[in-house]
Amino acid sequence: MENQGFEDLKKQFAAADVETKIDIYVQREDLTQDQYRELLRMFPLNELKRLEMALAS
């Protein structure tokens, strides 16, 4: 994903609730590995299990 679009997505991700963050993380297919990593750093650690379950399904 191009840089400006990713910056907009990061703002949306930061303001979203956990369920929306999971949806964004799982459904986006145009992100680079580094962009996924950057979003993961913003994800609440206590909710990682929910993200893992969503990625596995």
Side-chain angles (χ1 to χ4, degrees):
M1 171 179 269
E2 46 96 6
N3 198 30
Q4 183 57 46
F6 182 65
E7 290 302 316
D8 294 341
L9 180 65
K10 275 187 2 184
K11 289 176 188 172
Q12 178 187 357
F13 191 85
D17 62 18
V18 173
E19 207 53 48
T20 304
K21 285 180 182 185
I22 291 171
D23 288 342
I24 291 170
Y25 197 89
V26 171
Q27 294 176 5
R28 293 306 298 231
E29 296 180 358
D30 58 343
L31 300 177
T32 67
Q33 186 176 7
D34 287 337
Q35 289 170 334
Y36 275 115
R37 190 176 302 127
E38 198 165 337
L39 291 181
L40 189 57
R41 286 187 197 119
M42 299 170 63
F43 196 82
L45 294 177
N46 62 326
E47 299 289 353
L48 281 177
K49 193 69 160 173
R50 288 175 61 188
L51 179 59
E52 289 174 1
M53 291 186 331
L55 289 169
S57 58

